[in-house]
Amino acid sequence: MSGIAGQRRPADDATFISVLRNTQTMAAPETDGFDIREYGATGDSDALDTEAIQTALDECAESGGTVYVPSGTYVTGPLRVGDQTTLHLDAGATLQFVGDYEAFPTVQSRWEGWNQYGFHPCLLVDDAENVSITGRGTIDGGGEYWWQFYDAPESEIPDGLQERLAEFEEKNEKQDDVSSFTHRPPLFQISESENVSVSGVTLENSPFWNTHVVYSENVTITDVNIANPADAPNGDGIDIDSSRYVRISDTYINAGDDAICIKSGKNAEGREVGEPASQITVTNCTVEAGHGGVVIGSEMSGDVRDVTVSNCTFTDTDRGVRIKTARDRGGVVEDLRFDNIVMRRIACPFTINGYYFMPLDSDSEPVDEGTPMVRNVSFTNITARQVETAGFFAGLPEQYFEGISFNDVQIDATRPLDATDLDPAMAYDYEQTHALFCKSIADISFTDVRIRTPGGPAMQFEDTEDVTIDGLRVPDDQDAPVVSLTNVDRTRVRGCAPQSEGPFLEAGGSETREISFAGNHGSLADDTEIADDSDATIDRS
């Protein structure tokens, strides 16, 4: 199919606007512009403008062109944008979605990984091609109205809303502990569409997720502002869901949940649908607050692959780069690159967690279609300062995650552990420390990494097959040991220096095997402690 449709750029903006405003009939103007005021919209914050705006959008979709929203506040119910349409919000224009559950009809879509029934999104692009949302205006979901019903006792939920929720529950086959979506619509959804671009606008106060791209391809989001309060429930910024060829750039996000999240369905249904999220780039974005800067999962059962994130800053997010999954998800997350990122004041900058809402020390289970895999994840040129835990990486005992690498990464994990009430990964039965923690990983490597923690060890490996450390640097006053091994098959250390006090490395566990030192600054073999329960051997070559 064709690429992103070109946007109309009139030579004289004033002339263009004048033509739009002088249109006298309800029929489509002779130009390709559709001014919503010519269809009866008032923009006075009192009367509902839904019918006028939707009529303009529908007529535009028949012939193609631009629906123009001039300055003013237009209170509206849910809207649908069709083919060949540019929806342009002028500076000072606001689409203010009404707080009224009766105004939002029932639709079927994907909600938190399942195809379910729920409320119509506030602004919906569905089964459409060549659509643009442009301008410097604001799209406001009026989330305050909807948030009051989240986790509210039944006595505080209106009877009519309870009836709607009962309707959804009867139609929907699936429900779990996190399925709160039916209480609230997303603000903006791009569904089963192609060649869609969003630029310039502000999207704020979403009842549920802010911007949801699902079952779509060739989508560009650039120069957009996304804002939700910190306490907005499920207030994700941008969710890319079973979609491909998606580009997010030059965007500011302050979210009430994960800022940029990549998903592909949940459990058996997600695997059956089998639509991966793939060929995704995120660049030049600024994230201020949220549960995670860029997050993969936990709904990743249809696979996530070929993702590049570069030139971004994450500040005051709970986690930085976060991959989360669990047993029964299945699916593969692979070939991810994170480069040129700066993080500050974060609980944990790097998280790959196979135990999302599960106990960490669970026994091994048989590998089947519900066993997830994460592999080939690269972190390069990243600085993480004022963080609590340096990193958390945990595969499953029955399926180790593979191919995790760090190159030129600096981590200052000296922020007090009680700076927030967050654990690193939302895995149960894990006692948080400042160390970079690694468990059930097939191979992980560190090249030219600097790390500082207020106590030792700085790096802790358990039940891991292959660890490579090349050029690790720690401050002179770093507490010993720097590296701790428990049941690690092979460890290779080069380009490192002994500590002034205490061992550089300590090893224990009956499954710890070969430890190799080569090209170090001093004899690290003499600066290693082997526990009595370990049969580890040291290769000094």
Side-chain angles (χ1 to χ4, degrees):
M1 296 187 180
S2 60
I4 294 294
Q7 297 177 17
R8 184 185 186 280
R9 297 182 60 85
D12 185 328
D13 287 343
T15 301
F16 174 60
I17 294 171
S18 176
V19 169
L20 291 175
R21 293 180 177 177
N22 288 333
T23 305
Q24 298 298 317
T25 66
M26 290 293 288
E30 292 182 1
T31 69
D32 62 353
F34 301 78
D35 187 330
I36 65 171
R37 290 172 304 181
E38 301 301 329
Y39 291 81
T42 62
D44 62 8
S45 302
D46 292 325
L48 276 176
D49 290 319
T50 312
E51 183 177 357
I53 300 172
Q54 190 60 61
T55 300
L57 288 168
D58 290 344
E59 293 194 10
C60 182
E62 294 177 1
S63 60
T66 298
V67 173
Y68 176 71
V69 183
S71 179
T73 299
Y74 301 86
V75 180
T76 177
L79 300 170
R80 183 180 295 252
V81 183
D83 291 332
Q84 319 299 333
T85 296
T86 293
L87 175 61
H88 180 85
L89 282 74
D90 203 1
T94 297
L95 288 179
Q96 179 66 63
F97 287 93
V98 65
D100 179 7
Y101 62 85
E102 293 181 348
F104 290 76
T106 299
V107 297
Q108 187 176 24
S109 185
R110 176 179 269 185
W111 306 84
E112 290 185 340
W114 289 323
N115 293 330
Q116 301 270 58
Y117 289 90
F119 286 109
H120 190 296
C122 297
L123 183 64
L124 174 63
V125 177
D126 182 46
D127 192 22
E129 293 184 3
N130 305 326
V131 174
S132 296
I133 312 295
T134 68
R136 289 295 175 186
T138 298
I139 301 171
D140 191 320
E144 297 91 341
Y145 167 81
W146 298 92
W147 301 330
Q148 66 180 316
F149 303 128
Y150 176 75
D151 253 0
E154 188 173 306
S155 60
E156 296 179 11
I157 298 178
D159 291 343
L161 178 55
Q162 290 190 44
E163 293 174 3
R164 294 293 301 281
L165 299 179
E167 170 201 344
F168 298 152
E169 185 173 353
E170 182 178 354
K171 291 182 175 181
N172 294 335
E173 298 178 356
K174 303 177 182 67
Q175 197 83 358
D176 62 17
D177 292 341
V178 298
S179 296
S180 57
F181 54 82
T182 55
H183 287 204
R184 297 157 287 135
L187 172 55
F188 177 40
Q189 186 178 81
I190 302 168
S191 176
E192 299 188 73
S193 297
E194 185 174 359
N195 300 339
V196 179
S197 66
V198 186
S199 63
V201 295
T202 294
L203 296 130
E204 63 184 18
N205 299 321
S206 63
F208 180 60
W209 291 349
N210 187 298
T211 297
H212 184 201
V213 181
V214 58
Y215 300 138
S216 296
E217 66 177 64
N218 204 3
V219 175
T220 301
I221 300 172
T222 186
D223 190 23
V224 169
N225 296 312
I226 290 178
N228 280 334
D231 59 352
N234 309 107
D236 290 13
I238 302 173
D239 289 86
I240 309 302
D241 190 353
S242 288
S243 297
R244 60 179 182 167
Y245 312 137
V246 179
R247 301 165 297 282
I248 303 171
S249 67
D250 303 286
T251 288
Y252 167 84
I253 302 175
N254 189 330
D257 207 308
D258 293 329
I260 298 172
C261 199
I262 302 173
K263 302 174 179 288
S264 64
K266 185 187 293 185
N267 296 357
E269 181 184 291
R271 298 192 297 272
E272 181 179 356
V273 171
E275 290 288 342
S278 64
Q279 288 83 46
I280 297 166
T281 62
V282 178
T283 186
N284 299 340
C285 290
T286 301
V287 176
E288 180 186 4
H291 290 185
V294 171
V295 178
I296 315 293
S298 69
E299 302 95 283
M300 40 62 68
S301 303
D303 298 345
V304 175
R305 56 176 177 261
D306 305 335
V307 177
T308 298
V309 179
S310 62
N311 303 333
C312 295
T313 64
F314 306 151
T315 306
D316 291 313
T317 62
D318 295 353
R319 289 110 190 151
V321 176
R322 183 184 189 192
I323 302 172
K324 50 185 179 178
T325 185
R327 291 187 177 105
D328 203 30
R329 289 288 192 265
V332 177
V333 175
E334 63 182 351
D335 299 334
L336 315 180
R337 299 292 179 265
F338 301 92
D339 183 37
N340 282 2
I341 299 173
V342 175
M343 310 184 201
R344 187 181 294 270
R345 293 191 301 275
I346 289 175
C348 187
F350 310 102
T351 300
I352 299 179
N353 178 22
Y355 296 85
Y356 189 53
F357 288 121
M358 289 172 48
L360 180 64
D361 289 325
S362 58
D363 294 333
S364 180
E365 297 186 4
V367 174
D368 58 22
E369 68 276 4
T371 307
M373 167 58 84
V374 178
R375 62 190 177 208
N376 302 337
V377 183
S378 171
F379 302 97
T380 307
N381 302 323
I382 298 176
T383 298
R385 295 173 58 83
Q386 295 173 274
V387 304
E388 297 166 36
T389 295
F392 181 97
F393 304 90
L396 296 168
E398 64 269 21
Q399 179 137 283
Y400 285 15
F401 295 166
E402 303 173 355
I404 300 168
S405 65
F406 286 77
N407 194 322
D408 191 13
V409 174
Q410 301 181 37
I411 309 171
D412 180 356
T414 57
R415 192 184 192 198
L417 296 179
D418 60 358
T420 65
D421 59 355
L422 301 166
D423 63 56
M426 299 176 75
Y428 300 145
D429 300 336
Y430 169 74
E431 184 176 350
Q432 182 181 10
T433 71
H434 291 284
L436 186 148
F437 175 80
C438 179
K439 180 182 178 70
S440 299
I441 303 294
D443 58 295
I444 186 167
S445 65
F446 303 85
T447 303
D448 295 332
V449 169
R450 298 181 182 181
I451 187 167
R452 173 192 290 269
T453 62
M459 307 175 81
Q460 182 178 353
F461 302 93
E462 299 180 7
D463 303 326
T464 296
E465 291 182 356
D466 201 323
V467 175
T468 300
I469 300 172
D470 190 344
L472 174 67
R473 284 174 284 177
V474 297
D476 292 339
D477 60 352
Q478 175 68 45
D479 287 347
V482 175
V483 177
S484 172
L485 309 175
T486 303
N487 296 327
V488 177
D489 288 353
R490 295 173 300 278
T491 305
R492 301 173 180 86
V493 181
R494 61 176 294 122
C496 300
Q499 291 298 97
S500 57
E501 295 184 10
F504 176 86
L505 184 149
E506 67 174 13
S510 60
E511 300 301 318
T512 297
R513 304 300 187 200
E514 177 187 337
I515 303 172
S516 172
F517 296 106
N520 292 291
H521 306 284
S523 177
L524 287 185
D526 296 335
D527 206 29
T528 296
E529 289 188 354
I530 307 294
D532 293 339
D533 67 346
S534 175
D535 294 328
T537 60
I538 296 177
D539 182 355
R540 300 170 181 265
S541 60

